[in-house]
Every structure is written in C-alpha cells, then in structure tokens.
C-alpha cells in the first residue's frame, strides 16, 4: 500500500440497478482476489439485502434494516431505503470503527440498487466523502444488465444512468455489462455487434433503429438530444462481465486496479507482467471481446456496423 501520514485502504463500490448482479459479482470478485493472494473483505451496505451469498465482514443490517425503517417511520420500500442510508450517515462513526479493523484489507462495498442514490440523492456521495477522509481510495464499479442491449431505448437509458452516476459520485468509474453468460438468449434481438455496445462510439445508429418504431419516432428530437449528451461527454464505455469466468474477472480487476491507482501503490511488489496486464492499451480488441463477438453474432461483418 502507498505510504502516507494516513494509511491508504483501497476498495471498490459496487453499484447499479436492482437485479444487475451486484451481490453475485461481489462474491465472485472477492473469491477471485483471494485466489491470487489478496486480503479482501466484502461489506454489505444494502439494508434491504437479507439473502447474502457471501460472508460479510461488516453488515449494515446490524445497524438498521429497511423493514425496521418502514415499520417505525411508516415509509414505503423506497423511502425506507433512503432513510436507512441517511441513518447510516448519522452513525458513520459506527461504520468507520468497524472498517478500521480491516485497514490492511482490500474492501468490496456491496451497495443497494436504488438508482436515485447514485444519480441525485446526496447520501452515497456524502458516505464516499467520509470514506475518503478516513483514507480510502475508491473506484465505482457500475453494473447494468446486458440484456438492455437488445432494446435501443433501454440501452440509451442505460447510457444516461451510467453517465449520471459517474458525474454525481465523482469517483474513478468502471462500467460493466453484467450477465454476459446468458446474453446468448437475446442475440437474435441484437442489432449490432457487441463491440458497438461496449465502445459506445457512434450512437446515430440507435436513432435510426428507434425511428423504425412509430411511437419512438415521435420523440426523435428528444432521443437525438439524449444521444448527443452521451456522445459529447465521451465518458461512457463498458466492459463485458461474466461472473462465472475467471478471464472476465481478471479483465475487470485490471481495469479497477488501474482506475483506483492500486496497481501503482508503493510498498507492494508488482511483477512486470502484472503491470503490463493493467497498462493502458495492453489488450487488443479481439482479446477484450473477441470470444463474445463470435458467440453472440452469426451475421456478416456488414450487419454488425
């Protein structure tokens, strides 16, 4: 770890909509990191998650649950979750004291799936500020379900969600298209090759696809403005994720370590091979998505724009 007056603890915030695979990813990535010798813990920051598939070193449910908030504050599920996150901030010392026991560990924070927490509500951003003040160096890992690629309108929504979360949280950010292992179920509905959805280069093709829908065509100006917003920032790209595939986890690990600066930390030995694996541009397009492209698309190159 990097030496400083305050010791640095590295970690990642696993965020994304409900059902995008955050808990599954947290377990898979923690297991993978342990297998390569990294000391790692998973922290459950979702007070509504009562069915963990991993052993949480710290569980926010020990402090508050959404059910408790709903019962005692007479709130619905969404209001209960927002209240729970605000309650966690009010008791931030409890949380930081728990984390202080694991300062020599890499930390994976498994966050709730309510998207407004990452787009405009201040609770998560304030929590990040507390963690950074306590010496954490973090990277946001944003998961979205890959099946949204099969619908142009939903994919535009995914792009906007990813961009908004990136700008709101202000962290190094890695976007993932999750559940790629089941993407073959939707391959007949994909209009383009998988590299179109991961690279996010020319979104005008999406507008053309939306024009084929009479309902969507009425809102072409709005759709064009949204697409232009994403293209103007040029910030959103995706890595494909299959949590069951170690090669996929390795690529995500490399991207996250590079984004957070963990790979450049002092005081920990890194082989030349490890540094090269994380270097910018060290991976060819074929190495990154070639297998996925071959398995998902049967059409000619001319149809995969």
């Amino acid at each position: 770890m990097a030496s400083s007056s305050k010791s640095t603890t590295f970690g990642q915030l696993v965020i994304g909509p409900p059902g995008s695979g955050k808990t599954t990813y947290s377990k898979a990535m923690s297991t993978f990191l342990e297998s390569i010798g990294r000391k790692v813990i998973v922290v459950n920051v979702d007070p509504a998650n009562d069915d963990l598939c991993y052993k949480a070193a710290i569980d926010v449910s020990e402090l508050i649950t959404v059910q408790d908030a709903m019962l005692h504050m007479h709130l619905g599920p969404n209001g209960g979750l927002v209240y729970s996150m605000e309650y966690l901030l009010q008791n931030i010392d409890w949380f930081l004291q728990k984390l202080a026991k694991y300062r020599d560990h890499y930390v994976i924070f498994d966050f709730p799936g309510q998207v407004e927490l990452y787009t405009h509500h201040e609770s998560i951003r304030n929590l990040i500020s507390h963690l950074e003040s306590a010496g954490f160096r973090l990277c946001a890992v944003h998961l979205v379900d890959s099946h949204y690629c099969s619908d142009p309108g939903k994919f535009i929504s995914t792009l906007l969600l990813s961009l908004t979360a990136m700008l709101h949280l202000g962290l190094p950010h890695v976007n993932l298209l999750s559940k790629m292992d089941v993407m073959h179920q939707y391959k007949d509905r994909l209009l383009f090759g998988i590299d179109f959805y991961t690279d996010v280069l020319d979104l005008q093709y999406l507008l053309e696809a939306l024009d084929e829908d009479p309902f969507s065509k009425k809102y072409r100006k709005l759709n064009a403005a949204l697409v232009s917003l994403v293209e103007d920032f040029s910030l959103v790209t995706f890595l494909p994720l299959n949590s069951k595939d170690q090669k996929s986890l390795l690529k995500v690990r490399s991207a996250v370590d590079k984004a957070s600066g963990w790979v450049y930390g002092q005081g920990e030995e890194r082989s030349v091979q490890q540094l090269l694996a994380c270097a910018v541009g060290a991976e060819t397009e074929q190495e990154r998505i070639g297998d996925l492209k071959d398995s998902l698309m049967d059409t000619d190159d001319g149809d995969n724009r």
Side-chain angles (χ1 to χ4, degrees), residues 41-70:
I41 63 168
V42 182
V43 175
N44 176 42
V45 199
D46 185 357
N49 193 349
D50 56 1
D51 187 24
L52 298 177
C53 60
Y54 53 77
K55 183 178 180 180
I58 303 170
D59 191 344
V60 72
S61 296
E62 297 175 9
L63 178 68
I64 188 172
T65 66
V66 168
Q67 290 76 14
D68 290 338
M70 292 170 60

PDB file of all heavy atoms in Angstrom, residues 41-70:
ATOM      1  N   ILE A  41     -12.140  -8.224   1.957  1.00  0.00           N
ATOM      2  CA  ILE A  41     -13.398  -8.420   2.671  1.00  0.00           C
ATOM      3  C   ILE A  41     -14.525  -7.833   1.828  1.00  0.00           C
ATOM      4  O   ILE A  41     -14.301  -6.964   0.975  1.00  0.00           O
ATOM      5  CB  ILE A  41     -13.404  -7.762   4.060  1.00  0.00           C
ATOM      6  CG1 ILE A  41     -13.248  -6.239   3.944  1.00  0.00           C
ATOM      7  CG2 ILE A  41     -12.343  -8.368   4.960  1.00  0.00           C
ATOM      8  CD1 ILE A  41     -13.537  -5.499   5.235  1.00  0.00           C
ATOM      9  N   VAL A  42     -15.734  -8.315   2.077  1.00  0.00           N
ATOM     10  CA  VAL A  42     -16.929  -7.756   1.459  1.00  0.00           C
ATOM     11  C   VAL A  42     -17.767  -7.109   2.555  1.00  0.00           C
ATOM     12  O   VAL A  42     -17.978  -7.698   3.621  1.00  0.00           O
ATOM     13  CB  VAL A  42     -17.750  -8.833   0.726  1.00  0.00           C
ATOM     14  CG1 VAL A  42     -18.957  -8.197   0.043  1.00  0.00           C
ATOM     15  CG2 VAL A  42     -16.895  -9.576  -0.283  1.00  0.00           C
ATOM     16  N   VAL A  43     -18.220  -5.892   2.295  1.00  0.00           N
ATOM     17  CA  VAL A  43     -19.045  -5.143   3.237  1.00  0.00           C
ATOM     18  C   VAL A  43     -20.430  -4.960   2.628  1.00  0.00           C
ATOM     19  O   VAL A  43     -20.552  -4.407   1.515  1.00  0.00           O
ATOM     20  CB  VAL A  43     -18.419  -3.771   3.552  1.00  0.00           C
ATOM     21  CG1 VAL A  43     -19.351  -2.949   4.452  1.00  0.00           C
ATOM     22  CG2 VAL A  43     -17.054  -3.948   4.202  1.00  0.00           C
ATOM     23  N   ASN A  44     -21.457  -5.431   3.302  1.00  0.00           N
ATOM     24  CA  ASN A  44     -22.821  -5.246   2.822  1.00  0.00           C
ATOM     25  C   ASN A  44     -23.343  -3.896   3.278  1.00  0.00           C
ATOM     26  O   ASN A  44     -23.531  -3.647   4.470  1.00  0.00           O
ATOM     27  CB  ASN A  44     -23.732  -6.354   3.341  1.00  0.00           C
ATOM     28  CG  ASN A  44     -25.185  -6.126   2.922  1.00  0.00           C
ATOM     29  OD1 ASN A  44     -25.450  -5.738   1.779  1.00  0.00           O
ATOM     30  ND2 ASN A  44     -26.118  -6.334   3.837  1.00  0.00           N
ATOM     31  N   VAL A  45     -23.576  -2.996   2.316  1.00  0.00           N
ATOM     32  CA  VAL A  45     -24.102  -1.667   2.618  1.00  0.00           C
ATOM     33  C   VAL A  45     -25.559  -1.567   2.162  1.00  0.00           C
ATOM     34  O   VAL A  45     -26.113  -0.475   2.068  1.00  0.00           O
ATOM     35  CB  VAL A  45     -23.242  -0.575   1.949  1.00  0.00           C
ATOM     36  CG1 VAL A  45     -23.478   0.786   2.601  1.00  0.00           C
ATOM     37  CG2 VAL A  45     -21.757  -0.895   2.045  1.00  0.00           C
ATOM     38  N   ASP A  46     -26.185  -2.686   1.895  1.00  0.00           N
ATOM     39  CA  ASP A  46     -27.583  -2.719   1.456  1.00  0.00           C
ATOM     40  C   ASP A  46     -28.463  -3.191   2.602  1.00  0.00           C
ATOM     41  O   ASP A  46     -28.512  -4.391   2.910  1.00  0.00           O
ATOM     42  CB  ASP A  46     -27.738  -3.649   0.253  1.00  0.00           C
ATOM     43  CG  ASP A  46     -29.152  -3.633  -0.314  1.00  0.00           C
ATOM     44  OD1 ASP A  46     -30.013  -2.948   0.265  1.00  0.00           O
ATOM     45  OD2 ASP A  46     -29.394  -4.312  -1.332  1.00  0.00           O
ATOM     46  N   PRO A  47     -29.191  -2.289   3.267  1.00  0.00           N
ATOM     47  CA  PRO A  47     -30.021  -2.692   4.412  1.00  0.00           C
ATOM     48  C   PRO A  47     -31.250  -3.505   4.013  1.00  0.00           C
ATOM     49  O   PRO A  47     -31.979  -3.986   4.887  1.00  0.00           O
ATOM     50  CB  PRO A  47     -30.432  -1.349   5.029  1.00  0.00           C
ATOM     51  CG  PRO A  47     -30.361  -0.376   3.903  1.00  0.00           C
ATOM     52  CD  PRO A  47     -29.232  -0.839   3.023  1.00  0.00           C
ATOM     53  N   ALA A  48     -31.473  -3.667   2.700  1.00  0.00           N
ATOM     54  CA  ALA A  48     -32.598  -4.486   2.230  1.00  0.00           C
ATOM     55  C   ALA A  48     -32.159  -5.870   1.784  1.00  0.00           C
ATOM     56  O   ALA A  48     -32.997  -6.702   1.441  1.00  0.00           O
ATOM     57  CB  ALA A  48     -33.304  -3.777   1.068  1.00  0.00           C
ATOM     58  N   ASN A  49     -30.864  -6.123   1.797  1.00  0.00           N
ATOM     59  CA  ASN A  49     -30.339  -7.405   1.324  1.00  0.00           C
ATOM     60  C   ASN A  49     -30.258  -8.381   2.490  1.00  0.00           C
ATOM     61  O   ASN A  49     -29.329  -8.338   3.293  1.00  0.00           O
ATOM     62  CB  ASN A  49     -28.958  -7.204   0.697  1.00  0.00           C
ATOM     63  CG  ASN A  49     -28.499  -8.413  -0.092  1.00  0.00           C
ATOM     64  OD1 ASN A  49     -29.108  -9.482  -0.005  1.00  0.00           O
ATOM     65  ND2 ASN A  49     -27.435  -8.258  -0.858  1.00  0.00           N
ATOM     66  N   ASP A  50     -31.245  -9.275   2.565  1.00  0.00           N
ATOM     67  CA  ASP A  50     -31.276 -10.253   3.661  1.00  0.00           C
ATOM     68  C   ASP A  50     -30.957 -11.660   3.170  1.00  0.00           C
ATOM     69  O   ASP A  50     -31.196 -12.638   3.869  1.00  0.00           O
ATOM     70  CB  ASP A  50     -32.635 -10.239   4.363  1.00  0.00           C
ATOM     71  CG  ASP A  50     -33.798 -10.485   3.402  1.00  0.00           C
ATOM     72  OD1 ASP A  50     -33.538 -10.682   2.194  1.00  0.00           O
ATOM     73  OD2 ASP A  50     -34.962 -10.462   3.848  1.00  0.00           O
ATOM     74  N   ASP A  51     -30.415 -11.755   1.953  1.00  0.00           N
ATOM     75  CA  ASP A  51     -30.108 -13.067   1.387  1.00  0.00           C
ATOM     76  C   ASP A  51     -28.713 -13.010   0.773  1.00  0.00           C
ATOM     77  O   ASP A  51     -28.538 -13.151  -0.431  1.00  0.00           O
ATOM     78  CB  ASP A  51     -31.157 -13.464   0.342  1.00  0.00           C
ATOM     79  CG  ASP A  51     -30.967 -14.892  -0.155  1.00  0.00           C
ATOM     80  OD1 ASP A  51     -30.371 -15.704   0.585  1.00  0.00           O
ATOM     81  OD2 ASP A  51     -31.405 -15.195  -1.282  1.00  0.00           O
ATOM     82  N   LEU A  52     -27.707 -12.809   1.613  1.00  0.00           N
ATOM     83  CA  LEU A  52     -26.338 -12.683   1.132  1.00  0.00           C
ATOM     84  C   LEU A  52     -25.776 -14.036   0.725  1.00  0.00           C
ATOM     85  O   LEU A  52     -25.967 -15.034   1.419  1.00  0.00           O
ATOM     86  CB  LEU A  52     -25.455 -12.074   2.229  1.00  0.00           C
ATOM     87  CG  LEU A  52     -25.820 -10.668   2.700  1.00  0.00           C
ATOM     88  CD1 LEU A  52     -24.897 -10.238   3.829  1.00  0.00           C
ATOM     89  CD2 LEU A  52     -25.775  -9.673   1.550  1.00  0.00           C
ATOM     90  N   CYS A  53     -25.055 -14.053  -0.405  1.00  0.00           N
ATOM     91  CA  CYS A  53     -24.412 -15.286  -0.862  1.00  0.00           C
ATOM     92  C   CYS A  53     -22.949 -15.319  -0.452  1.00  0.00           C
ATOM     93  O   CYS A  53     -22.225 -16.226  -0.838  1.00  0.00           O
ATOM     94  CB  CYS A  53     -24.557 -15.425  -2.377  1.00  0.00           C
ATOM     95  SG  CYS A  53     -23.822 -14.075  -3.341  1.00  0.00           S
ATOM     96  N   TYR A  54     -22.517 -14.350   0.320  1.00  0.00           N
ATOM     97  CA  TYR A  54     -21.149 -14.295   0.816  1.00  0.00           C
ATOM     98  C   TYR A  54     -21.198 -14.008   2.319  1.00  0.00           C
ATOM     99  O   TYR A  54     -22.232 -13.598   2.862  1.00  0.00           O
ATOM    100  CB  TYR A  54     -20.349 -13.202   0.099  1.00  0.00           C
ATOM    101  CG  TYR A  54     -21.006 -11.836   0.136  1.00  0.00           C
ATOM    102  CD1 TYR A  54     -20.962 -11.032   1.283  1.00  0.00           C
ATOM    103  CD2 TYR A  54     -21.690 -11.325  -0.970  1.00  0.00           C
ATOM    104  CE1 TYR A  54     -21.564  -9.796   1.335  1.00  0.00           C
ATOM    105  CE2 TYR A  54     -22.295 -10.085  -0.929  1.00  0.00           C
ATOM    106  CZ  TYR A  54     -22.232  -9.327   0.218  1.00  0.00           C
ATOM    107  OH  TYR A  54     -22.844  -8.100   0.270  1.00  0.00           O
ATOM    108  N   LYS A  55     -20.062 -14.185   2.966  1.00  0.00           N
ATOM    109  CA  LYS A  55     -19.953 -13.852   4.384  1.00  0.00           C
ATOM    110  C   LYS A  55     -19.468 -12.421   4.497  1.00  0.00           C
ATOM    111  O   LYS A  55     -18.330 -12.108   4.158  1.00  0.00           O
ATOM    112  CB  LYS A  55     -18.976 -14.801   5.099  1.00  0.00           C
ATOM    113  CG  LYS A  55     -18.883 -14.534   6.594  1.00  0.00           C
ATOM    114  CD  LYS A  55     -17.940 -15.515   7.273  1.00  0.00           C
ATOM    115  CE  LYS A  55     -17.851 -15.228   8.772  1.00  0.00           C
ATOM    116  NZ  LYS A  55     -16.923 -16.176   9.458  1.00  0.00           N
ATOM    117  N   ALA A  56     -20.337 -11.546   4.976  1.00  0.00           N
ATOM    118  CA  ALA A  56     -19.986 -10.132   5.086  1.00  0.00           C
ATOM    119  C   ALA A  56     -19.158  -9.890   6.336  1.00  0.00           C
ATOM    120  O   ALA A  56     -19.561 -10.259   7.442  1.00  0.00           O
ATOM    121  CB  ALA A  56     -21.251  -9.278   5.119  1.00  0.00           C
ATOM    122  N   ALA A  57     -18.010  -9.242   6.161  1.00  0.00           N
ATOM    123  CA  ALA A  57     -17.197  -8.872   7.313  1.00  0.00           C
ATOM    124  C   ALA A  57     -17.899  -7.795   8.132  1.00  0.00           C
ATOM    125  O   ALA A  57     -17.779  -7.750   9.359  1.00  0.00           O
ATOM    126  CB  ALA A  57     -15.826  -8.375   6.855  1.00  0.00           C
ATOM    127  N   ILE A  58     -18.624  -6.913   7.439  1.00  0.00           N
ATOM    128  CA  ILE A  58     -19.426  -5.871   8.081  1.00  0.00           C
ATOM    129  C   ILE A  58     -20.777  -5.846   7.369  1.00  0.00           C
ATOM    130  O   ILE A  58     -20.833  -5.889   6.139  1.00  0.00           O
ATOM    131  CB  ILE A  58     -18.749  -4.494   7.973  1.00  0.00           C
ATOM    132  CG1 ILE A  58     -17.336  -4.527   8.573  1.00  0.00           C
ATOM    133  CG2 ILE A  58     -19.595  -3.420   8.657  1.00  0.00           C
ATOM    134  CD1 ILE A  58     -16.525  -3.276   8.298  1.00  0.00           C
ATOM    135  N   ASP A  59     -21.844  -5.773   8.140  1.00  0.00           N
ATOM    136  CA  ASP A  59     -23.187  -5.806   7.571  1.00  0.00           C
ATOM    137  C   ASP A  59     -23.986  -4.639   8.144  1.00  0.00           C
ATOM    138  O   ASP A  59     -24.214  -4.564   9.356  1.00  0.00           O
ATOM    139  CB  ASP A  59     -23.876  -7.122   7.898  1.00  0.00           C
ATOM    140  CG  ASP A  59     -25.169  -7.330   7.114  1.00  0.00           C
ATOM    141  OD1 ASP A  59     -25.690  -6.346   6.564  1.00  0.00           O
ATOM    142  OD2 ASP A  59     -25.660  -8.476   7.070  1.00  0.00           O
ATOM    143  N   VAL A  60     -24.423  -3.723   7.282  1.00  0.00           N
ATOM    144  CA  VAL A  60     -25.167  -2.556   7.741  1.00  0.00           C
ATOM    145  C   VAL A  60     -26.487  -2.958   8.394  1.00  0.00           C
ATOM    146  O   VAL A  60     -27.062  -2.190   9.180  1.00  0.00           O
ATOM    147  CB  VAL A  60     -25.410  -1.579   6.568  1.00  0.00           C
ATOM    148  CG1 VAL A  60     -26.443  -2.143   5.599  1.00  0.00           C
ATOM    149  CG2 VAL A  60     -25.836  -0.203   7.065  1.00  0.00           C
ATOM    150  N   SER A  61     -26.963  -4.165   8.101  1.00  0.00           N
ATOM    151  CA  SER A  61     -28.209  -4.629   8.700  1.00  0.00           C
ATOM    152  C   SER A  61     -28.100  -4.800  10.210  1.00  0.00           C
ATOM    153  O   SER A  61     -29.119  -4.897  10.901  1.00  0.00           O
ATOM    154  CB  SER A  61     -28.645  -5.956   8.056  1.00  0.00           C
ATOM    155  OG  SER A  61     -28.939  -5.775   6.688  1.00  0.00           O
ATOM    156  N   GLU A  62     -26.869  -4.850  10.709  1.00  0.00           N
ATOM    157  CA  GLU A  62     -26.692  -4.873  12.160  1.00  0.00           C
ATOM    158  C   GLU A  62     -27.075  -3.537  12.770  1.00  0.00           C
ATOM    159  O   GLU A  62     -27.411  -3.459  13.958  1.00  0.00           O
ATOM    160  CB  GLU A  62     -25.234  -5.195  12.500  1.00  0.00           C
ATOM    161  CG  GLU A  62     -24.776  -6.571  12.041  1.00  0.00           C
ATOM    162  CD  GLU A  62     -23.292  -6.783  12.302  1.00  0.00           C
ATOM    163  OE1 GLU A  62     -22.695  -5.924  12.995  1.00  0.00           O
ATOM    164  OE2 GLU A  62     -22.740  -7.785  11.826  1.00  0.00           O
ATOM    165  N   LEU A  63     -27.016  -2.481  11.964  1.00  0.00           N
ATOM    166  CA  LEU A  63     -27.361  -1.139  12.435  1.00  0.00           C
ATOM    167  C   LEU A  63     -28.831  -0.819  12.162  1.00  0.00           C
ATOM    168  O   LEU A  63     -29.545  -0.332  13.047  1.00  0.00           O
ATOM    169  CB  LEU A  63     -26.473  -0.102  11.749  1.00  0.00           C
ATOM    170  CG  LEU A  63     -26.726   1.365  12.087  1.00  0.00           C
ATOM    171  CD1 LEU A  63     -26.333   1.643  13.534  1.00  0.00           C
ATOM    172  CD2 LEU A  63     -25.941   2.281  11.134  1.00  0.00           C
ATOM    173  N   ILE A  64     -29.273  -1.094  10.944  1.00  0.00           N
ATOM    174  CA  ILE A  64     -30.639  -0.799  10.546  1.00  0.00           C
ATOM    175  C   ILE A  64     -31.010  -1.648   9.340  1.00  0.00           C
ATOM    176  O   ILE A  64     -30.133  -1.991   8.523  1.00  0.00           O
ATOM    177  CB  ILE A  64     -30.820   0.706  10.208  1.00  0.00           C
ATOM    178  CG1 ILE A  64     -32.299   1.038   9.984  1.00  0.00           C
ATOM    179  CG2 ILE A  64     -29.969   1.107   9.023  1.00  0.00           C
ATOM    180  CD1 ILE A  64     -32.576   2.527   9.845  1.00  0.00           C
ATOM    181  N   THR A  65     -32.287  -1.983   9.229  1.00  0.00           N
ATOM    182  CA  THR A  65     -32.805  -2.666   8.045  1.00  0.00           C
ATOM    183  C   THR A  65     -33.934  -1.831   7.464  1.00  0.00           C
ATOM    184  O   THR A  65     -34.539  -0.996   8.150  1.00  0.00           O
ATOM    185  CB  THR A  65     -33.344  -4.071   8.378  1.00  0.00           C
ATOM    186  OG1 THR A  65     -34.500  -3.941   9.223  1.00  0.00           O
ATOM    187  CG2 THR A  65     -32.278  -4.912   9.074  1.00  0.00           C
ATOM    188  N   VAL A  66     -34.203  -2.045   6.190  1.00  0.00           N
ATOM    189  CA  VAL A  66     -35.294  -1.326   5.538  1.00  0.00           C
ATOM    190  C   VAL A  66     -36.623  -1.667   6.203  1.00  0.00           C
ATOM    191  O   VAL A  66     -37.492  -0.798   6.359  1.00  0.00           O
ATOM    192  CB  VAL A  66     -35.328  -1.666   4.032  1.00  0.00           C
ATOM    193  CG1 VAL A  66     -36.623  -1.166   3.400  1.00  0.00           C
ATOM    194  CG2 VAL A  66     -34.133  -1.045   3.333  1.00  0.00           C
ATOM    195  N   GLN A  67     -36.780  -2.926   6.621  1.00  0.00           N
ATOM    196  CA  GLN A  67     -38.020  -3.327   7.281  1.00  0.00           C
ATOM    197  C   GLN A  67     -38.238  -2.530   8.563  1.00  0.00           C
ATOM    198  O   GLN A  67     -39.360  -2.087   8.861  1.00  0.00           O
ATOM    199  CB  GLN A  67     -37.988  -4.830   7.590  1.00  0.00           C
ATOM    200  CG  GLN A  67     -38.089  -5.747   6.381  1.00  0.00           C
ATOM    201  CD  GLN A  67     -36.791  -5.817   5.583  1.00  0.00           C
ATOM    202  OE1 GLN A  67     -35.720  -5.393   6.059  1.00  0.00           O
ATOM    203  NE2 GLN A  67     -36.876  -6.363   4.368  1.00  0.00           N
ATOM    204  N   ASP A  68     -37.161  -2.320   9.323  1.00  0.00           N
ATOM    205  CA  ASP A  68     -37.268  -1.521  10.545  1.00  0.00           C
ATOM    206  C   ASP A  68     -37.669  -0.085  10.221  1.00  0.00           C
ATOM    207  O   ASP A  68     -38.523   0.505  10.894  1.00  0.00           O
ATOM    208  CB  ASP A  68     -35.936  -1.522  11.297  1.00  0.00           C
ATOM    209  CG  ASP A  68     -35.610  -2.873  11.906  1.00  0.00           C
ATOM    210  OD1 ASP A  68     -36.549  -3.661  12.121  1.00  0.00           O
ATOM    211  OD2 ASP A  68     -34.420  -3.138  12.152  1.00  0.00           O
ATOM    212  N   ALA A  69     -37.037   0.484   9.204  1.00  0.00           N
ATOM    213  CA  ALA A  69     -37.346   1.863   8.821  1.00  0.00           C
ATOM    214  C   ALA A  69     -38.790   1.991   8.358  1.00  0.00           C
ATOM    215  O   ALA A  69     -39.485   2.966   8.711  1.00  0.00           O
ATOM    216  CB  ALA A  69     -36.387   2.323   7.728  1.00  0.00           C
ATOM    217  N   MET A  70     -39.254   1.030   7.579  1.00  0.00           N
ATOM    218  CA  MET A  70     -40.632   1.071   7.093  1.00  0.00           C
ATOM    219  C   MET A  70     -41.628   0.961   8.245  1.00  0.00           C
ATOM    220  O   MET A  70     -42.641   1.672   8.290  1.00  0.00           O
ATOM    221  CB  MET A  70     -40.858  -0.066   6.086  1.00  0.00           C
ATOM    222  CG  MET A  70     -40.108   0.090   4.776  1.00  0.00           C
ATOM    223  SD  MET A  70     -40.171  -1.408   3.741  1.00  0.00           S
ATOM    224  CE  MET A  70     -41.947  -1.574   3.505  1.00  0.00           C
TER     225      MET A  70
END
